[in-house]
Amino acid sequence: MMEFSSEYSTEELLKIEQEFGRLKGKCYLDHAGTALYGESQLRAVQELLARHLFCNPHTSRTMEDMVDLVRYRVLRWFNTRASEYELVFTSGTTGALKLIGESFQFRSPSTPTETAEPGAFVFLRESHTSVLGMREIVQTDRIHPVERTDLLQALQRSGEGPPVPDCQRTRPSLLVFPAQCNFNGTKYPLALCGTVEQSGLDGFDRDRFHVCLDAASYVSTSPLNLTRYKPSFVCVSFYKIFGYPTGLGALLVRKDVEHLLLPGKRYYGGGTVKIAISGPGGFHVKRDTLAERFEDGTLNFLAVCSLLPCMDTLERLIGPSPMDRIQRHTFALARYCHNRLRQLEHTNGTPVVELYHDSAFEDADTQGAIINFNVRNDDGTYVGYAEVACMAANHSIYLRTGCFCNPGACQRHFGLTDTDILRQYQAGHVCGDANDLVDGKPTGSVRVSFGYCTRAADIDQLVAMLAGCYIRRTTKGPLVSRANIAALYKSYDKPRLVQICLYPLKSCGAFRVDRGGDDVSWPLSSTGLRYDREFVVVDDHGTAMTQKKLPGMCRIRPTIDLQLCQLTLEHPDADEKIVIDLRYPNQEQERHDDMAHIQLCQTKVCTDAVSGMDCGDEVAEWISLALGISGLRLLRQSPNEARVQRRTAKELSLNNQAQLLLVNRASVRWLSEKVDDWGGHEQAPPLDALVQRFRGNLIIESTRPLEELDWRRLLIGDCQFTVDGPCTRCQMICIDQETGNRTAEPLRTISREFEGKLRFGIYMSHANLEPGAMLSCGDKITGLIE
């Protein structure tokens, strides 16, 4: 294994580790998404706010002076001063870019508007989506993307040929590019700022360019020296550096170009005018300075003040000029990770990861603390990023997947044309979804990024996960297609229902209706199985809890007595059971707003807002003790507020996607035989235990595996159902439902056998629900493919 040499001393490493006790057992590798705040940083912020009385800066000169003090301190952080740059606080980098897009004047004020051709808006094609959005609001129709190679050639051509006289470059134009690519950490030469502003760009001889530097990704781990490099505009977000506060950024405007923004600012909010008359004519006079004009309304002044202890904390932990040391530390980590990933090989010698980079990781001036890659199988096919994200979550690794709001970088590195992108969209892929492979091609990738608190051990954990999950130790021959499977099972008996499972508490254990022989039945309801997923455990903030966060939830075992209308909960570590009455309060009683014993609460399930009735303190205390987390509550879905599936308009309980989930034991058996490594266990788990991982409602048995994937409708006994589609799987199927322990399988094998699609089992809904309908173990099943 490669050795890693830290920038920090042993004492400094220990001091930093003490700041992040919440990372115990976790591996955080998404510092490009957000930096992490330290514990002493938050304590310092709290002490500042608790010790001082901070008033609205519009009414307090002291607060106004405090805000300006923070401005000067931030300018020093970026190695400049108030005589060089004006600093406008914004909601973040996106807000700063939007301000420039709305306000930049593309026509010279000395040229008549009707005859003047506007300047050009030029942007690096591999820019963040927030830059692409500027195309919609800039006040020019001369909009041009520039390729990376063409932008870099501007430096090489600098000084070649006679310069275009300033008198001929009369059209104010804007070039926007990132100091560091948020996709893969490539750094662009900051010398481009001066070169482009002095010499322009090829093909734009009459345009006088001003550079807007998107520095959001760059400043997170690198020092920005605005004394040496002086772009016209700089956009930053502070959470990228400090982790806290969020929702606060800045636009830095060089003093000599303020005039390019001031006339374009039309809207004015509170505090930005000297006078405004409400009558006809709209007379008003804006304030003088850029910050006064552009900071509409009341600033987030408490967040602004919080920047002082945030900067102090980094200087205390890392030392003077902390960003220089952070840059050296994070670059060393990135190089270490890059080299370790390159060494991963399958048994046939093919690489495990495909890296997407534009540098050789030789120095921190050209490469930031970001690694971008995709995983490949030993046959060269891609592993979808959604599967890698699930595997990472299963190993408590926090990383980022997708296209990272940088479609231009994705296109170039994946070799996708505009037509390919449109084809992927037409196939159902949109930004942020889990459609990670279309026609075998990746729609996104995996990104890991590092911060000042990242350790080499975090990278070792990532590499161990990739090696353990994706390097095959045995070869089982080519994959078997569904058509070949059908050929192997030409003769088979009719499938039958062998087990009915319901999960009264969402994400907790199953109540299995298969005791007493094949005559065991269970009633259906308008939402699926009666009492299935009617309850949800929430934390003290009202957030729904799942096994993804608390795998031990599976050890809460429910039992339902239909005659007594009672739900009984057990847990191996609980001394006593607890019984919940399943009868709703009568409708007349429930309408009274003064009912003290019923508390309506709100939570969220799969993007839906859900109203629930609190089940009381006794149940809450039992669940909190059973799961070892204080403040948990149990809510029951309100019967007066239906939840509806968007695509089918069918009524749902607290299910994720559909009313029912069907799992075929034959398919699980087939899948189990395909797994080549159960993580140190010579044998696969028992079939029943493996079936339970898929948390199906209806467990069937057939002689032909995967035949359920061909069904469009089915008849179970006398009940008709429609198939809503395959079930997309996540890391929960890697949790042993008896113990709560995590494994890498069977998710890995599902991805491999189904060409990157994490699908297993089928969703179903009632086709025509009859009153009193029941399902019984032993019911014969007829699957229809049309």
Side-chain angles (χ1 to χ4, degrees):
M1 182 186 299
M2 295 178 54
E3 293 293 331
F4 174 77
S5 178
S6 176
E7 165 72 19
Y8 305 145
S9 67
T10 303
E11 182 181 352
E12 288 172 326
L13 287 170
L14 180 61
K15 189 166 57 173
I16 292 171
E17 185 175 343
Q18 291 171 345
E19 291 284 327
F20 298 96
R22 64 189 185 277
L23 286 180
K24 185 177 181 180
K26 301 179 179 68
C27 176
Y28 183 78
L29 297 175
D30 188 28
H31 290 268
T34 180
L36 294 181
Y37 51 81
E39 293 176 14
S40 68
Q41 175 185 340
L42 283 192
R43 287 194 299 269
V45 170
Q46 183 182 23
E47 183 180 350
L48 176 73
L49 298 181
R51 197 171 67 240
H52 297 279
L53 176 62
F54 291 126
C55 302
N56 190 310
H58 291 167
T59 59
S60 169
R61 182 59 183 268
T62 301
M63 191 65 232
E64 186 179 347
D65 291 343
M66 182 74 166
V67 169
D68 285 336
L69 180 67
V70 179
R71 286 188 215 276
Y72 306 148
R73 180 75 181 277
V74 171
L75 288 170
R76 288 204 309 272
W77 187 268
F78 297 125
N79 295 286
T80 189
R81 55 189 185 275
S83 60
E84 294 284 340
Y85 279 90
E86 183 82 30
L87 187 145
V88 178
F89 285 113
T90 67
S91 60
T93 298
T94 297
L97 291 168
K98 185 170 180 283
L99 268 181
I100 295 174
E102 292 172 335
S103 305
F104 187 87
Q105 297 296 289
F106 287 90
R107 286 182 169 86
S108 173
S110 60
T111 309
T113 303
E114 14 341 304
T115 60
E117 185 180 12
F121 173 63
V122 180
F123 61 95
L124 181 69
R125 186 166 180 177
E126 295 176 32
S127 291
H128 194 277
T129 306
S130 297
V131 174
L132 305 187
M134 295 173 73
R135 297 177 297 186
E136 305 300 312
I137 57 174
V138 292
Q139 301 168 41
T140 179
D141 55 3
R142 296 180 60 222
I143 299 173
H144 304 277
V146 62
E147 298 293 343
R148 177 178 181 274
T149 52
D150 294 333
L151 181 62
L152 294 176
Q153 284 174 4
L155 266 185
Q156 300 172 2
R157 290 194 298 265
S158 177
E160 295 181 1
V164 179
D166 287 347
C167 61
Q168 295 182 20
R169 295 193 294 133
T170 58
R171 298 182 297 207
S173 297
L174 187 64
L175 168 67
V176 186
F177 70 91
Q180 175 176 291
C181 178
N182 74 308
F183 176 84
N184 64 4
T186 296
K187 291 182 178 179
Y188 288 87
L190 296 185
L192 278 168
C193 300
T195 298
V196 171
E197 293 203 357
Q198 291 171 14
S199 306
L201 291 171
D202 272 2
F204 297 89
D205 292 343
R206 294 181 57 196
D207 294 287
R208 188 177 191 85
F209 274 98
H210 301 272
V211 170
C212 172
L213 188 68
D214 175 1
S217 180
Y218 182 91
V219 298
S220 62
T221 55
S222 301
L224 180 61
N225 189 342
L226 293 180
T227 298
R228 183 177 180 186
Y229 304 107
K230 300 181 179 181
S232 294
F233 312 103
V234 182
C235 305
V236 297
S237 293
F238 292 112
Y239 75 96
K240 298 281 189 178
I241 309 171
F242 307 113
Y244 177 90
T246 58
L248 183 67
L251 168 62
L252 282 72
V253 181
R254 207 174 64 221
K255 285 284 190 176
D256 63 319
V257 296
E258 289 182 3
H259 65 280
L260 293 170
L261 298 185
L262 288 171
K265 179 71 160 53
R266 299 184 62 187
Y267 175 82
Y268 58 91
T272 62
V273 292
K274 297 178 179 180
I275 183 174
I277 297 178
S278 61
F283 178 80
H284 67 279
V285 179
K286 294 186 175 71
R287 291 192 178 273
D288 298 322
T289 70
L290 195 76
E292 288 176 327
R293 289 197 187 191
F294 277 72
E295 291 172 351
D296 292 305
T298 300
L299 268 181
N300 188 351
F301 57 93
L302 295 182
V304 170
C305 292
S306 297
L307 289 176
L308 292 175
C310 292
M311 289 183 278
D312 290 341
T313 299
L314 272 193
E315 291 176 342
R316 176 176 52 81
L317 290 173
I318 311 299
S321 301
M323 298 311 298
D324 293 288
R325 296 193 70 200
I326 289 173
Q327 177 176 247
R328 291 194 295 270
H329 173 71
T330 55
F331 171 72
L333 287 167
R335 181 165 54 187
Y336 176 68
C337 182
H338 174 262
N339 292 338
R340 289 217 60 194
L341 291 178
R342 287 181 61 192
Q343 293 173 349
L344 288 178
E345 291 184 347
H346 291 289
T347 53
N348 62 4
T350 57
V352 175
V353 299
E354 180 174 279
L355 291 156
Y356 303 115
H357 284 287
D358 299 303
S359 82
F361 285 77
E362 293 176 347
D363 64 78
D365 291 333
T366 58
Q367 179 62 49
I370 297 175
I371 305 286
N372 198 299
F373 63 92
N374 266 316
V375 178
R376 305 194 77 157
N377 293 308
D378 54 0
D379 61 358
T381 57
Y382 287 97
V383 176
Y385 61 74
E387 183 203 334
V388 179
C390 286
M391 286 300 181
N394 203 34
H395 289 76
S396 299
I397 298 174
Y398 295 75
L399 45 72
R400 181 84 176 267
T401 59
C403 248
F404 324 104
C405 298
N406 195 328
C410 283
Q411 278 189 253
R412 180 168 70 87
H413 286 283
F414 304 158
L416 300 173
T417 64
D418 290 350
T419 302
D420 292 330
I421 296 296
L422 290 173
R423 187 182 298 115
Q424 290 178 350
Y425 174 71
Q426 291 161 358
H429 169 61
V430 296
C431 293
D433 69 10
N435 292 325
D436 47 18
L437 296 174
V438 174
D439 298 328
K441 291 184 177 182
T443 62
S445 56
V446 181
R447 186 185 75 183
V448 293
S449 50
F450 318 112
Y452 77 91
C453 62
T454 308
R455 308 158 302 166
D458 296 323
I459 293 169
D460 295 338
Q461 185 174 340
L462 169 72
V463 175
M465 181 275 290
L466 293 172
C469 294
Y470 297 107
I471 296 180
R472 299 186 67 180
R473 290 165 176 78
T474 61
T475 303
K476 294 200 171 185
L479 308 185
V480 180
S481 68
R482 281 162 56 189
N484 292 336
I485 291 172
L488 294 173
Y489 297 91
K490 291 181 180 178
S491 176
Y492 58 93
D493 295 329
K494 208 166 196 177
R496 64 189 182 95
L497 181 64
V498 296
Q499 192 176 74
I500 301 171
C501 297
L502 55 150
Y503 305 84
L505 277 66
K506 182 177 176 63
S507 218
C508 291
F511 172 52
R512 293 187 278 274
V513 187
D514 60 353
R515 289 169 285 209
D518 284 350
D519 60 343
V520 175
S521 303
W522 195 261
L524 295 171
S525 72
S526 60
T527 60
L529 295 174
R530 183 182 295 180
Y531 301 127
D532 182 44
R533 294 176 172 90
E534 284 195 2
F535 297 81
V536 59
V537 178
V538 300
D539 65 11
D540 50 1
H541 301 296
T543 302
M545 307 300 287
T546 71
Q547 287 187 34
K548 294 177 185 179
K549 186 173 184 179
L550 284 178
M553 291 178 71
C554 66
R555 302 180 71 206
I556 292 181
R557 309 281 159 71
T559 305
I560 290 179
D561 189 317
L562 284 175
Q563 292 183 336
L564 296 178
C565 265
Q566 288 183 341
L567 166 65
T568 302
L569 302 180
E570 301 178 63
H571 190 280
D573 297 333
D575 295 332
E576 298 179 353
K577 306 175 183 178
I578 192 162
V579 178
I580 299 172
D581 191 345
L582 290 173
R583 291 170 297 185
Y584 283 108
N586 65 65
Q587 297 299 313
E588 184 64 31
Q589 191 179 24
E590 191 171 336
R591 278 195 289 267
H592 286 81
D593 294 333
D594 59 350
M595 288 181 60
H597 67 284
I598 292 183
Q599 180 181 356
L600 289 178
C601 305
Q602 290 287 129
T603 187
K604 192 174 179 181
V605 174
C606 292
T607 73
D608 293 334
V610 175
S611 291
M613 299 181 297
D614 191 283
C615 295
D617 294 339
E618 184 182 1
V619 177
E621 183 178 358
W622 187 92
I623 288 178
S624 295
L625 288 172
L627 296 177
I629 295 180
S630 62
L632 298 180
R633 308 292 298 185
L634 184 66
L635 305 184
R636 186 179 189 183
Q637 185 179 19
S638 172
N640 297 327
E641 186 173 324
R643 182 168 168 251
V644 178
Q645 187 186 31
R646 292 179 177 84
R647 189 170 63 84
T648 65
K650 295 295 179 71
E651 190 175 344
L652 295 176
S653 58
L654 302 179
N655 319 66
N656 280 359
Q657 299 291 339
Q659 293 180 336
L660 298 159
L661 173 61
L662 180 146
V663 173
N664 187 352
R665 283 172 59 90
S667 300
V668 177
R669 189 182 296 111
W670 169 85
L671 178 67
S672 178
E673 293 170 353
K674 291 291 180 182
V675 176
D676 53 31
D677 183 4
W678 282 101
H681 301 284
E682 294 183 1
Q683 295 183 342
L687 182 62
D688 286 343
L690 196 54
V691 169
Q692 290 305 316
R693 293 192 182 202
F694 292 93
R695 299 178 62 81
N697 296 116
L698 308 179
I699 312 302
I700 72 167
E701 181 77 72
S702 72
T703 56
R704 181 162 68 90
L706 305 183
E707 65 173 301
E708 66 275 12
L709 298 178
D710 295 323
W711 296 342
R712 297 295 174 265
R713 294 178 293 125
L714 65 157
L715 189 69
I716 303 179
D718 296 326
C719 300
Q720 300 177 41
F721 300 89
T722 58
V723 175
D724 297 333
C727 174
T728 300
R729 292 300 179 173
C730 66
Q731 66 265 30
M732 276 183 61
I733 65 172
C734 297
I735 299 174
D736 186 316
Q737 293 298 299
E738 291 296 320
T739 66
N741 295 332
R742 299 178 187 267
T743 62
E745 292 290 2
L747 190 68
R748 169 71 186 105
T749 298
I750 289 175
S751 176
R752 189 181 70 233
E753 295 296 325
F754 294 99
E755 299 179 340
K757 299 301 180 185
L758 302 177
R759 296 172 177 173
F760 200 87
I762 56 173
Y763 285 129
M764 299 163 39
S765 297
H766 300 308
N768 185 20
L769 181 63
E770 299 289 340
M774 307 274 287
L775 289 179
S776 301
C777 294
D779 280 348
K780 294 295 180 67
I781 298 173
T782 302
L784 304 173
I785 62 175
E786 296 180 355

